[in-house]
Amino acid sequence: MDSYRHLEEYDEWSQKPQANPVDPIILKEMDEGSFSDVPFLADVSKLGTTSRFDRQYLKLGKEFIPEKKRIDYVLVHPHITEQMKKEMDSDELKKENKKEKLRKIFESRLRKEGFYIQKEVIGKNCYKKLHCPFKKLCYEAEKVNMEMPLEGCKAQKEESSYLCSDFIKNKFETDNVVDYISAPFQMDRIHLFKGYKDPTNFFRPAIRSLLINHMLINLDIRNECEAILKEGDDEEGGICGCLKRSSPAVEDEDAKDKVLQKIAFPYLKLKGVYTDNLILHEASTRSKLREEDKEEEKEDAAQQVFDPRREMDDTWTKFTKFQPLWKIRDYFGEKIAFYFAWSGTLTTTLWIPMLFGFAIFIYGLVASINRELSSNNYNSTSIDNSTVTSKITAAVAGALGVIKEAFDNDVTPYFAMVICLWGTIFLEIWKQKNARLAYEWDVEEFEETEPDRPEFYGIKYRKDPVTKQDDWFYPIKRQMIKFLFSGAVLMFMVCVVLASVVGVIVYRVIASVNYCPSTTSGGCVMLTTVVSSVLNAISIFLLGKLYDYVAKKLTNWENHRTQTMYDDALIIKLFAFQFANNYASCFYIAFFRGRFDYAGILGIGTAYTDECEGTCMSQLSFQVLTLMISKPLPKLFSDVILPFFKRKWRNRPDCLRCACSCRKNQVDELEEKAYKNPEKVTFLEKELLKDKLGDFTMGEYTEKIIQYGFLMLFAASFPLAPLFALLTNLIDIRVDAKRLLWWYRRPVAIVAEDIGTWYVILNFVNFCGVISNAFLIAFTSSWGSKYDTITKLWIAIAFEHIVFALKFVLAYLIPDVPGDVALAVRRRANCLYRESTCR
């Protein structure tokens, strides 16, 4: 199986691209036939001049490797037949005709830009398969200032002198990519860049998807379709965030200012002109085994020359191998690669606190067992005279009591200090890792050249201070008003979360006082513990879904200019909610439960108090344990269990298919075809059956940092937190690798230079962790219970001052950029200078 989906496998292209009027390709001296396979040299006899870019390829002669056409992008829309149009009413027909006109305009513009478009009808949908020629990709890469590796400029790598480095490299390392010094891409200097003789493989897969997606979302057809859009203004005008045609008089008093907005692919998709889009995975010899749960076929070795998914599956999904970060970056882009690099660094650094925490737990467990055996509570006579059920109940209760006391022992204050210092060490190690990867991947200056989001709209013109050209912008005063309103909504939603937590607490206290005395112990547990837990879970789920929707709507309304600014704003909103939603109950148990309700909860009576059973530290330990175990369960269901049953459902027997035959849709038809005639299912159809990945990094970062918060904020109460975090992360990385490689559609690659605002949030969690652990040790732990209130306060102040001082010293001593990376940056600058002067 050829891993490139060459379009020569299909029918001939329905349309040929028009010649590029900006840069005509011509040369009279050369024989036209000798370059018949070179798309951008096909019209060489028509005019008498060529660009420097074209002359470089004309010089190559037989060294040139012809470009192979491949499916770079797929656009999907319903296939409407003439018979279907006859059955439509007048309004439906008018809307459908409008969509068809917009499609024709957009696709005609794509051909003018140089795209090849091939049409294929599958069932009720029509699929437009796009191929972008090499020269158009080069033009776009130069436009966005893409960094590309230089030919013959290998980056010098410092060899490690440690004795175990060779062993680690041979046994665990998975990246064997040679790093080259890179420079901003220039078409006129194409001969300076690595691999320019092979246009098919010059751009790595992630760059191709990024550049083509960038073209589609910025291809403005507003001028061509303005008359068509006005036909539907009464019905549809103004409802789309991509097309905000407010009157200039409403937005600004200056009548000369104009509203400017691109009408590109995002707008067309929102209006239903196109219903879906996808970037196909590279075909793999392992697809049948991983995607369809069928036996892997034997493949000829010659057919496995380029199989990136198989290469990553051999290493990325294995517990005994390091992550292939370079391969992840080349296939999925820097944004996803940085997430896995950060997650891997977190997992690696967790080993030392995990071992220390486990040792502390064993110490506490032994001490707790000794206290239990020597206490007067251990009464063998009463146990011998009880029933079997009572014996089991007593044994379970005794074991739980021993484990609860094991978490709260005399050594936990030292563990809390170690975890607080570990947080700083982890962030410093990550900064060094980030600096190294940003240098090697050539994305240090990405955000400075990041293009506008297609959804961004301006309402005023101004002169760009750098280019002196007309530039549109959105006034900062209006945006600040929107920020203030979003902040108010955020605070209101956080208050709603806190109110829901208080409501569950009030219910539990009232149920335990008013109803438990008249019921059995089992009924009391059901009324208080089980029902309150269910109510809390329902509250968290419903408020979480509601706030996710509200946060995205608010962030869209704020009109951020770049994708990075948009992501940062959304991250802050989501984390603020998640912080309150996940940690509110833990903070209540740690610092408020049973301390300030002398007149009863909400002042309804002294009998209605919410006291801790045993010590509040042991209650907090079990609360953190419960949350750390339960948090990954929804992800396990959605990422592993649900896709597994979906694949099994596609292979369900005929009797189950007949029951649902009356309500078939496009996916059902594809599933039936895959079941009855699997050998006739095309690669495109297999990709359509996969679910969309969505915003992968947003959800993953949120989950990991909430877990990191349990580890940092409540370290003193739960020494086993690093162990649970380590096990969860080791499994989660491999599950996510399977998801990305086999189970979900391929995401659009996104360039990034770091993990963005998540680093600021990690610093915030570290700061809160010091304060939280200081007060846990002084006011909640059994170690601090022997002191009076003033002494406890001094203990908290001393702890946080000592830890903050040590954290500052560690951050100062550990450099943000490794020495070899700083030296490599200087070498790169020298190499670029020599290349520019010598060539």
Side-chain angles (χ1 to χ4, degrees):
M1 180 187 297
D2 191 355
S3 59
Y4 279 93
R5 300 167 308 282
H6 301 316
L7 291 168
E8 285 84 349
E9 297 174 359
Y10 301 93
D11 297 332
E12 291 297 322
W13 294 94
S14 58
Q15 296 287 343
K16 297 293 183 183
Q18 299 183 14
N20 191 340
V22 179
D23 191 13
I25 301 149
I26 28 296
L27 191 62
K28 289 184 178 179
E29 306 88 89
M30 301 298 296
D31 180 16
E32 180 181 357
S34 62
F35 289 95
S36 60
D37 291 329
V38 189
F40 51 85
L41 298 177
D43 298 325
V44 20
S45 63
K46 294 184 180 180
L47 297 173
T49 59
T50 61
S51 66
R52 187 176 178 183
F53 173 86
D54 305 316
R55 290 197 297 271
Q56 292 295 335
Y57 282 98
L58 290 171
K59 292 177 183 179
L60 289 176
K62 295 182 179 180
E63 295 183 20
F64 179 81
I65 304 175
E67 180 185 8
K68 297 179 180 179
K69 300 183 183 71
R70 52 174 287 161
I71 304 175
D72 291 315
Y73 212 92
V74 180
L75 304 178
V76 186
H77 65 83
H79 177 59
I80 306 297
T81 63
E82 292 298 327
Q83 181 62 33
M84 296 172 66
K85 288 184 178 180
K86 293 179 181 179
E87 298 175 357
M88 295 180 180
D89 57 36
S90 58
D91 291 337
E92 291 178 345
L93 183 60
K94 183 179 178 181
K95 291 180 181 179
E96 187 55 43
N97 288 335
K98 177 181 175 181
K99 293 177 182 179
E100 188 173 344
K101 291 178 182 178
L102 290 174
R103 270 196 299 271
K104 289 182 178 179
I105 292 173
F106 185 69
E107 291 170 13
S108 176
R109 181 65 182 277
L110 284 174
R111 294 188 182 99
K112 289 181 181 180
E113 294 292 326
F115 279 82
Y116 294 85
I117 304 178
Q118 186 185 63
K119 176 181 176 181
E120 183 176 352
V121 177
I122 302 176
K124 298 179 181 179
N125 281 344
C126 183
Y127 300 91
K128 301 295 178 62
K129 296 173 285 188
L130 309 183
H131 167 71
C132 185
F134 175 63
K135 187 171 184 179
K136 181 61 181 176
L137 288 172
C138 291
Y139 174 78
E140 193 69 17
E142 183 175 20
K143 181 180 176 181
V144 300
N145 202 29
M146 184 66 63
E147 297 264 349
M148 297 297 293
L150 294 170
E151 184 69 49
C153 290
K154 293 183 180 180
Q156 297 184 25
K157 194 171 183 179
E158 299 291 335
E159 295 295 333
S160 176
S161 59
Y162 296 106
L163 295 176
C164 61
S165 60
D166 291 337
F167 174 80
I168 294 175
K169 183 176 181 180
N170 295 331
K171 294 294 183 181
F172 301 104
E173 284 195 3
T174 56
D175 281 322
N176 53 4
V177 180
V178 178
D179 184 23
Y180 286 81
I181 292 175
S182 300
F185 180 75
Q186 297 180 23
M187 291 182 67
D188 288 345
R189 297 189 172 190
I190 184 70
H191 62 288
L192 299 180
F193 294 93
K194 180 179 179 292
Y196 80 102
K197 297 178 182 180
D198 184 7
T200 305
N201 298 312
F202 180 79
F203 293 104
R204 51 191 170 85
I207 289 296
R208 289 187 72 99
S209 69
L210 183 147
L211 292 176
I212 293 169
N213 186 70
H214 186 263
M215 295 180 211
L216 294 179
I217 66 178
N218 287 284
L219 189 64
D220 191 2
I221 60 170
R222 182 163 52 101
N223 295 332
E224 293 93 327
C225 63
E226 188 170 358
I228 299 175
L229 292 173
K230 287 182 179 179
E231 296 176 5
D233 278 347
D234 295 337
E235 300 175 0
E236 301 176 290
I239 65 171
C240 173
C242 303
L243 185 64
K244 208 100 170 167
R245 293 184 176 273
S246 304
S247 171
V250 175
E251 291 284 358
D252 201 279
E253 296 179 358
D254 190 354
K256 295 182 180 180
D257 292 334
K258 297 184 292 182
V259 177
L260 180 63
Q261 177 59 49
K262 289 184 176 71
I263 308 299
F265 177 69
Y267 170 79
L268 299 178
K269 187 176 179 182
L270 183 67
K271 293 298 184 181
V273 178
Y274 294 100
T275 56
D276 201 358
N277 63 290
L278 67 154
I279 299 173
L280 303 184
H281 277 289
E282 304 295 331
S284 173
T285 58
R286 200 165 287 175
S287 296
K288 189 174 292 292
L289 175 66
R290 299 304 189 197
E291 296 173 355
E292 305 171 30
D293 294 330
K294 296 180 180 179
E295 186 177 352
E296 185 177 7
E297 296 177 351
K298 294 183 179 180
E299 298 289 342
D300 191 350
Q303 296 178 325
Q304 303 176 17
V305 175
F306 184 76
D307 196 344
R309 286 201 289 168
R310 181 165 190 151
E311 291 180 5
M312 286 188 282
D313 189 63
D314 288 337
T315 55
W316 193 9
T317 59
K318 303 296 187 294
F319 287 94
T320 57
K321 295 289 185 179
F322 292 155
Q323 297 185 88
L325 295 177
W326 278 81
K327 294 182 177 69
I328 298 170
R329 171 248 190 177
D330 289 344
Y331 194 80
F332 294 107
E334 284 81 3
K335 187 174 183 180
I336 289 179
F338 268 117
Y339 161 73
F340 282 104
W342 173 83
S343 183
T345 304
L346 173 63
T347 304
T348 302
T349 57
L350 274 172
W351 281 97
I352 293 178
M354 181 274 294
L355 294 174
F356 186 39
F358 186 75
I360 288 176
F361 171 73
I362 295 299
Y363 167 81
L365 185 63
V366 172
S368 179
I369 292 174
N370 291 333
R371 284 195 301 269
E372 182 70 17
L373 293 176
S374 60
S375 65
N376 295 327
N377 296 329
Y378 186 80
N379 193 334
S380 58
T381 304
S382 61
I383 294 179
D384 291 338
N385 296 332
S386 60
T387 62
V388 175
T389 304
S390 300
K391 290 181 179 180
I392 295 175
T393 304
V396 172
L400 291 177
V402 169
I403 294 174
K404 285 182 179 180
E405 292 182 5
F407 290 129
D408 185 16
N409 57 70
D410 294 338
V411 191
T412 49
Y414 303 100
F415 176 73
M417 178 177 290
V418 169
I419 286 294
C420 291
L421 297 178
W422 167 84
T424 297
I425 296 173
F426 160 64
L427 290 187
E428 293 301 316
I429 292 175
W430 167 245
K431 281 197 290 186
Q432 290 196 344
K433 181 73 171 180
N434 189 101
R436 185 181 302 279
L437 292 177
Y439 160 73
E440 292 178 346
W441 294 347
D442 307 298
V443 292
E444 306 103 307
E445 304 297 329
F446 165 69
E447 288 188 86
E448 283 72 7
T449 59
E450 187 178 6
D452 291 350
R453 293 174 62 242
E455 295 84 0
F456 171 77
Y457 65 93
I459 61 173
K460 296 187 69 176
Y461 274 120
R462 66 180 177 186
K463 292 290 183 181
D464 188 280
V466 178
T467 63
K468 304 301 180 184
Q469 297 179 353
D470 286 340
D471 183 36
W472 62 341
F473 75 102
Y474 195 77
I476 188 63
K477 291 183 180 179
R478 297 183 183 277
Q479 204 161 36
M480 289 303 298
I481 293 174
K482 292 184 176 182
F483 290 163
L484 291 174
F485 180 80
S486 296
V489 174
L490 170 62
M491 294 304 298
F492 172 76
M493 291 299 298
V494 170
C495 291
V496 171
V497 171
L498 297 177
S500 69
V501 173
V502 172
V504 172
I505 295 170
V506 170
Y507 162 79
R508 186 179 67 248
V509 172
I510 292 177
S512 63
V513 174
N514 291 352
Y515 299 101
C516 279
S518 59
T519 61
T520 63
S521 59
C524 181
V525 171
M526 180 65 67
L527 283 173
T528 57
T529 305
V530 176
V531 174
S532 63
S533 298
V534 171
L535 290 175
N536 191 38
I538 293 173
S539 173
I540 289 174
F541 177 78
L542 294 179
L543 289 176
K545 290 294 183 182
L546 174 63
Y547 188 76
D548 284 350
Y549 175 81
V550 171
K552 291 176 181 177
K553 287 294 183 181
L554 287 174
T555 311
N556 289 332
W557 178 62
E558 289 168 359
N559 192 30
H560 296 278
R561 181 146 200 161
T562 67
Q563 188 64 40
T564 299
M565 296 169 64
Y566 176 90
D567 290 342
D568 290 346
L570 183 59
I571 287 168
I572 291 173
K573 295 182 182 67
L574 293 178
F575 177 76
F577 169 79
Q578 293 291 348
F579 190 92
N581 202 30
N582 288 277
Y583 304 141
S585 60
C586 294
F587 279 117
Y588 169 74
I589 295 173
F591 304 118
F592 299 98
R593 188 173 183 180
R595 296 178 186 271
F596 306 105
D597 55 346
Y598 305 112
I601 192 165
L602 299 181
I604 59 177
T606 55
Y608 297 91
T609 58
D610 189 22
E611 299 288 344
C612 293
E613 299 175 6
T615 65
C616 287
M617 196 71 158
S618 61
Q619 293 290 313
L620 177 62
S621 302
F622 259 66
Q623 179 74 1
V624 174
L625 171 64
T626 303
L627 292 175
M628 291 193 73
I629 292 176
S630 62
K631 286 296 290 181
L633 295 182
K635 185 175 186 294
L636 177 66
F637 175 79
S638 62
D639 295 349
V640 180
I641 299 176
L642 189 59
F644 173 78
F645 280 107
K646 281 186 176 181
R647 293 195 300 275
K648 292 299 182 184
W649 179 251
R650 290 170 189 164
N651 298 323
R652 65 191 182 274
D654 291 332
C655 59
L656 295 178
R657 294 177 182 276
C658 296
C660 304
S661 60
C662 58
R663 299 183 63 183
K664 286 184 180 179
N665 55 27
Q666 175 67 15
V667 176
D668 293 331
E669 292 178 0
L670 287 178
E671 289 179 352
E672 184 174 355
K673 180 179 179 181
Y675 174 71
K676 293 182 177 180
N677 302 294
E679 68 283 350
K680 295 183 179 181
V681 179
T682 65
F683 187 84
L684 175 59
E685 291 172 328
K686 291 179 182 178
E687 291 295 298
L688 290 170
L689 289 173
K690 296 179 181 178
D691 294 329
K692 295 180 181 179
L693 187 64
D695 193 342
F696 172 78
T697 56
M698 182 73 71
E700 293 299 319
Y701 276 124
T702 302
E703 177 195 351
K704 293 292 187 301
I705 290 181
I706 292 300
Q707 178 197 77
Y708 183 82
F710 285 122
L711 177 64
M712 292 299 302
L713 296 172
F714 311 106
S717 67
F718 191 46
L720 290 182
L723 174 62
F724 281 88
L726 179 63
L727 294 176
T728 302
N729 290 354
L730 286 172
I731 297 172
D732 192 58
I733 288 175
R734 275 72 196 176
V735 171
D736 287 338
K738 296 284 188 181
R739 292 173 60 200
L740 287 167
L741 290 174
W742 309 110
W743 300 342
Y744 286 82
R745 291 185 185 180
R746 185 177 182 177
V748 175
I750 299 176
V751 179
E753 64 174 346
D754 50 33
I755 63 174
T757 306
W758 295 113
Y759 182 81
V760 180
I761 291 176
L762 287 168
N763 263 321
F764 171 76
V765 173
N766 280 358
F767 175 83
C768 293
V770 176
I771 306 298
S772 174
N773 281 287
F775 281 88
L776 278 175
I777 293 168
F779 289 91
T780 310
S781 70
S782 58
W783 180 86
S785 61
K786 54 182 175 285
Y787 301 104
D788 57 34
T789 303
I790 300 299
T791 306
K792 291 179 180 179
L793 185 61
W794 279 111
I795 290 173
I797 294 174
F799 179 89
E800 59 94 3
H801 273 67
I802 293 171
V803 173
F804 276 133
L806 293 175
K807 287 168 72 72
F808 174 80
V809 171
L810 288 172
Y812 178 79
L813 293 177
I814 303 175
D816 293 347
V817 180
D820 61 317
V821 174
L823 180 60
V825 171
R826 295 173 58 190
R827 286 173 175 166
R828 180 180 64 179
N830 180 59
C831 180
L832 292 177
Y833 173 76
R834 287 189 285 105
E835 289 292 323
S836 62
T837 56
C838 295
R839 299 193 188 186

PDB file of all heavy atoms in Angstrom, residues 483-500:
ATOM      1  N   PHE A 483     -14.197  42.641  27.927  1.00  0.00           N
ATOM      2  CA  PHE A 483     -13.430  41.894  28.931  1.00  0.00           C
ATOM      3  C   PHE A 483     -14.070  42.027  30.314  1.00  0.00           C
ATOM      4  O   PHE A 483     -14.158  41.049  31.065  1.00  0.00           O
ATOM      5  CB  PHE A 483     -11.990  42.394  28.979  1.00  0.00           C
ATOM      6  CG  PHE A 483     -11.177  42.040  27.767  1.00  0.00           C
ATOM      7  CD1 PHE A 483      -9.995  42.700  27.482  1.00  0.00           C
ATOM      8  CD2 PHE A 483     -11.591  41.045  26.900  1.00  0.00           C
ATOM      9  CE1 PHE A 483      -9.248  42.380  26.363  1.00  0.00           C
ATOM     10  CE2 PHE A 483     -10.851  40.713  25.775  1.00  0.00           C
ATOM     11  CZ  PHE A 483      -9.674  41.378  25.513  1.00  0.00           C
ATOM     12  N   LEU A 484     -14.501  43.240  30.661  1.00  0.00           N
ATOM     13  CA  LEU A 484     -15.121  43.458  31.970  1.00  0.00           C
ATOM     14  C   LEU A 484     -16.421  42.670  32.099  1.00  0.00           C
ATOM     15  O   LEU A 484     -16.703  42.071  33.145  1.00  0.00           O
ATOM     16  CB  LEU A 484     -15.371  44.957  32.185  1.00  0.00           C
ATOM     17  CG  LEU A 484     -14.123  45.823  32.370  1.00  0.00           C
ATOM     18  CD1 LEU A 484     -14.502  47.298  32.421  1.00  0.00           C
ATOM     19  CD2 LEU A 484     -13.366  45.435  33.636  1.00  0.00           C
ATOM     20  N   PHE A 485     -17.215  42.659  31.034  1.00  0.00           N
ATOM     21  CA  PHE A 485     -18.464  41.898  31.075  1.00  0.00           C
ATOM     22  C   PHE A 485     -18.175  40.400  31.197  1.00  0.00           C
ATOM     23  O   PHE A 485     -18.836  39.696  31.974  1.00  0.00           O
ATOM     24  CB  PHE A 485     -19.281  42.184  29.812  1.00  0.00           C
ATOM     25  CG  PHE A 485     -20.587  41.438  29.774  1.00  0.00           C
ATOM     26  CD1 PHE A 485     -21.682  41.903  30.492  1.00  0.00           C
ATOM     27  CD2 PHE A 485     -20.722  40.275  29.033  1.00  0.00           C
ATOM     28  CE1 PHE A 485     -22.890  41.216  30.468  1.00  0.00           C
ATOM     29  CE2 PHE A 485     -21.912  39.574  28.996  1.00  0.00           C
ATOM     30  CZ  PHE A 485     -23.009  40.048  29.722  1.00  0.00           C
ATOM     31  N   SER A 486     -17.185  39.909  30.455  1.00  0.00           N
ATOM     32  CA  SER A 486     -16.822  38.495  30.554  1.00  0.00           C
ATOM     33  C   SER A 486     -16.347  38.151  31.954  1.00  0.00           C
ATOM     34  O   SER A 486     -16.656  37.079  32.486  1.00  0.00           O
ATOM     35  CB  SER A 486     -15.727  38.164  29.537  1.00  0.00           C
ATOM     36  OG  SER A 486     -16.189  38.332  28.213  1.00  0.00           O
ATOM     37  N   GLY A 487     -15.568  39.073  32.566  1.00  0.00           N
ATOM     38  CA  GLY A 487     -15.112  38.845  33.939  1.00  0.00           C
ATOM     39  C   GLY A 487     -16.269  38.777  34.918  1.00  0.00           C
ATOM     40  O   GLY A 487     -16.259  37.959  35.848  1.00  0.00           O
ATOM     41  N   ALA A 488     -17.286  39.618  34.704  1.00  0.00           N
ATOM     42  CA  ALA A 488     -18.453  39.594  35.584  1.00  0.00           C
ATOM     43  C   ALA A 488     -19.217  38.274  35.445  1.00  0.00           C
ATOM     44  O   ALA A 488     -19.662  37.689  36.443  1.00  0.00           O
ATOM     45  CB  ALA A 488     -19.364  40.775  35.257  1.00  0.00           C
ATOM     46  N   VAL A 489     -19.368  37.806  34.211  1.00  0.00           N
ATOM     47  CA  VAL A 489     -20.029  36.519  33.997  1.00  0.00           C
ATOM     48  C   VAL A 489     -19.235  35.383  34.631  1.00  0.00           C
ATOM     49  O   VAL A 489     -19.795  34.467  35.244  1.00  0.00           O
ATOM     50  CB  VAL A 489     -20.224  36.262  32.490  1.00  0.00           C
ATOM     51  CG1 VAL A 489     -20.776  34.861  32.244  1.00  0.00           C
ATOM     52  CG2 VAL A 489     -21.153  37.297  31.882  1.00  0.00           C
ATOM     53  N   LEU A 490     -17.903  35.463  34.513  1.00  0.00           N
ATOM     54  CA  LEU A 490     -17.049  34.451  35.121  1.00  0.00           C
ATOM     55  C   LEU A 490     -17.224  34.404  36.630  1.00  0.00           C
ATOM     56  O   LEU A 490     -17.392  33.330  37.223  1.00  0.00           O
ATOM     57  CB  LEU A 490     -15.593  34.741  34.767  1.00  0.00           C
ATOM     58  CG  LEU A 490     -14.516  33.939  35.496  1.00  0.00           C
ATOM     59  CD1 LEU A 490     -14.660  32.464  35.181  1.00  0.00           C
ATOM     60  CD2 LEU A 490     -13.131  34.436  35.118  1.00  0.00           C
ATOM     61  N   MET A 491     -17.217  35.563  37.286  1.00  0.00           N
ATOM     62  CA  MET A 491     -17.388  35.606  38.737  1.00  0.00           C
ATOM     63  C   MET A 491     -18.766  35.080  39.138  1.00  0.00           C
ATOM     64  O   MET A 491     -18.913  34.385  40.154  1.00  0.00           O
ATOM     65  CB  MET A 491     -17.198  37.033  39.245  1.00  0.00           C
ATOM     66  CG  MET A 491     -15.789  37.577  39.075  1.00  0.00           C
ATOM     67  SD  MET A 491     -14.539  36.528  39.864  1.00  0.00           S
ATOM     68  CE  MET A 491     -15.065  36.616  41.575  1.00  0.00           C
ATOM     69  N   PHE A 492     -19.781  35.399  38.355  1.00  0.00           N
ATOM     70  CA  PHE A 492     -21.121  34.902  38.659  1.00  0.00           C
ATOM     71  C   PHE A 492     -21.159  33.383  38.590  1.00  0.00           C
ATOM     72  O   PHE A 492     -21.736  32.711  39.456  1.00  0.00           O
ATOM     73  CB  PHE A 492     -22.122  35.511  37.685  1.00  0.00           C
ATOM     74  CG  PHE A 492     -23.502  34.910  37.787  1.00  0.00           C
ATOM     75  CD1 PHE A 492     -24.344  35.253  38.840  1.00  0.00           C
ATOM     76  CD2 PHE A 492     -23.954  33.987  36.848  1.00  0.00           C
ATOM     77  CE1 PHE A 492     -25.612  34.694  38.950  1.00  0.00           C
ATOM     78  CE2 PHE A 492     -25.208  33.430  36.948  1.00  0.00           C
ATOM     79  CZ  PHE A 492     -26.049  33.781  37.997  1.00  0.00           C
ATOM     80  N   MET A 493     -20.528  32.797  37.548  1.00  0.00           N
ATOM     81  CA  MET A 493     -20.532  31.343  37.413  1.00  0.00           C
ATOM     82  C   MET A 493     -19.742  30.673  38.530  1.00  0.00           C
ATOM     83  O   MET A 493     -20.129  29.600  39.017  1.00  0.00           O
ATOM     84  CB  MET A 493     -19.964  30.951  36.056  1.00  0.00           C
ATOM     85  CG  MET A 493     -20.838  31.323  34.867  1.00  0.00           C
ATOM     86  SD  MET A 493     -22.459  30.544  34.900  1.00  0.00           S
ATOM     87  CE  MET A 493     -22.037  28.814  34.814  1.00  0.00           C
ATOM     88  N   VAL A 494     -18.638  31.283  38.964  1.00  0.00           N
ATOM     89  CA  VAL A 494     -17.890  30.734  40.094  1.00  0.00           C
ATOM     90  C   VAL A 494     -18.741  30.759  41.356  1.00  0.00           C
ATOM     91  O   VAL A 494     -18.735  29.808  42.156  1.00  0.00           O
ATOM     92  CB  VAL A 494     -16.579  31.517  40.287  1.00  0.00           C
ATOM     93  CG1 VAL A 494     -15.902  31.120  41.597  1.00  0.00           C
ATOM     94  CG2 VAL A 494     -15.631  31.273  39.125  1.00  0.00           C
ATOM     95  N   CYS A 495     -19.504  31.828  41.543  1.00  0.00           N
ATOM     96  CA  CYS A 495     -20.400  31.904  42.703  1.00  0.00           C
ATOM     97  C   CYS A 495     -21.486  30.839  42.627  1.00  0.00           C
ATOM     98  O   CYS A 495     -21.884  30.271  43.654  1.00  0.00           O
ATOM     99  CB  CYS A 495     -21.031  33.293  42.781  1.00  0.00           C
ATOM    100  SG  CYS A 495     -19.872  34.615  43.197  1.00  0.00           S
ATOM    101  N   VAL A 496     -21.962  30.561  41.423  1.00  0.00           N
ATOM    102  CA  VAL A 496     -22.958  29.492  41.259  1.00  0.00           C
ATOM    103  C   VAL A 496     -22.366  28.141  41.658  1.00  0.00           C
ATOM    104  O   VAL A 496     -23.019  27.325  42.317  1.00  0.00           O
ATOM    105  CB  VAL A 496     -23.472  29.457  39.808  1.00  0.00           C
ATOM    106  CG1 VAL A 496     -24.337  28.229  39.565  1.00  0.00           C
ATOM    107  CG2 VAL A 496     -24.261  30.717  39.496  1.00  0.00           C
ATOM    108  N   VAL A 497     -21.110  27.913  41.282  1.00  0.00           N
ATOM    109  CA  VAL A 497     -20.439  26.667  41.673  1.00  0.00           C
ATOM    110  C   VAL A 497     -20.333  26.565  43.185  1.00  0.00           C
ATOM    111  O   VAL A 497     -20.634  25.520  43.780  1.00  0.00           O
ATOM    112  CB  VAL A 497     -19.044  26.588  41.025  1.00  0.00           C
ATOM    113  CG1 VAL A 497     -18.249  25.421  41.595  1.00  0.00           C
ATOM    114  CG2 VAL A 497     -19.155  26.448  39.520  1.00  0.00           C
ATOM    115  N   LEU A 498     -19.896  27.635  43.821  1.00  0.00           N
ATOM    116  CA  LEU A 498     -19.776  27.628  45.284  1.00  0.00           C
ATOM    117  C   LEU A 498     -21.134  27.435  45.946  1.00  0.00           C
ATOM    118  O   LEU A 498     -21.250  26.729  46.956  1.00  0.00           O
ATOM    119  CB  LEU A 498     -19.138  28.932  45.753  1.00  0.00           C
ATOM    120  CG  LEU A 498     -17.706  29.195  45.273  1.00  0.00           C
ATOM    121  CD1 LEU A 498     -17.215  30.554  45.752  1.00  0.00           C
ATOM    122  CD2 LEU A 498     -16.769  28.101  45.750  1.00  0.00           C
ATOM    123  N   ALA A 499     -22.174  28.045  45.377  1.00  0.00           N
ATOM    124  CA  ALA A 499     -23.517  27.885  45.927  1.00  0.00           C
ATOM    125  C   ALA A 499     -23.981  26.439  45.807  1.00  0.00           C
ATOM    126  O   ALA A 499     -24.645  25.912  46.718  1.00  0.00           O
ATOM    127  CB  ALA A 499     -24.486  28.816  45.208  1.00  0.00           C
ATOM    128  N   SER A 500     -23.634  25.777  44.713  1.00  0.00           N
ATOM    129  CA  SER A 500     -24.024  24.372  44.558  1.00  0.00           C
ATOM    130  C   SER A 500     -23.325  23.493  45.588  1.00  0.00           C
ATOM    131  O   SER A 500     -23.929  22.547  46.117  1.00  0.00           O
ATOM    132  CB  SER A 500     -23.697  23.889  43.146  1.00  0.00           C
ATOM    133  OG  SER A 500     -22.303  23.800  42.955  1.00  0.00           O
TER     134      SER A 500
END
